[in-house]
Amino acid sequence: SEIAAHKNLHKDLVAEVLELQQKLRSNEQVTPKAVAELLERWFLEHILMEDMKYAPFVQKKSAKKNKSK
């Protein structure tokens, strides 16, 4: 499903971050550029494109929740 695929993208990010963390703990070189590229790719490709697909749904749910208060 689309939701499962989206969750897998989040799992992939976590895996990449954990890999960077392991490299740092093992005193392997992790360049600031590599970290910046990961964050930039996540922000530009995932948040601004993938997550924004869900914005109307989240806004609608939020509006309904606020109405019931």
Side-chain angles (χ1 to χ4, degrees):
S1 77
E2 192 173 323
I3 298 276
H6 191 88
K7 286 182 178 182
N8 283 333
L9 293 173
H10 285 250
K11 287 180 185 177
D12 291 345
L13 171 68
V14 170
E16 287 185 70
V17 170
L18 291 174
E19 182 180 335
L20 287 175
Q21 182 184 45
Q22 184 58 39
K23 285 181 179 181
L24 288 168
R25 287 183 174 163
S26 301
N27 292 321
E28 290 182 49
Q29 183 178 1
V30 175
T31 64
K33 182 179 178 184
V35 175
E37 286 173 350
L38 170 66
L39 295 175
E40 179 180 38
R41 181 171 38 88
W42 184 256
F43 181 73
L44 294 176
E45 294 177 15
H46 184 82
I47 295 173
L48 292 180
M49 295 175 79
E50 295 299 321
D51 284 346
M52 286 308 202
K53 292 177 186 176
Y54 296 93
F57 172 77
V58 172
Q59 289 170 345
K60 189 175 180 180
K61 286 286 249 187
S62 179
K64 283 183 180 180
K65 185 177 180 180
N66 288 335
K67 259 187 171 179
S68 66
K69 286 185 175 182

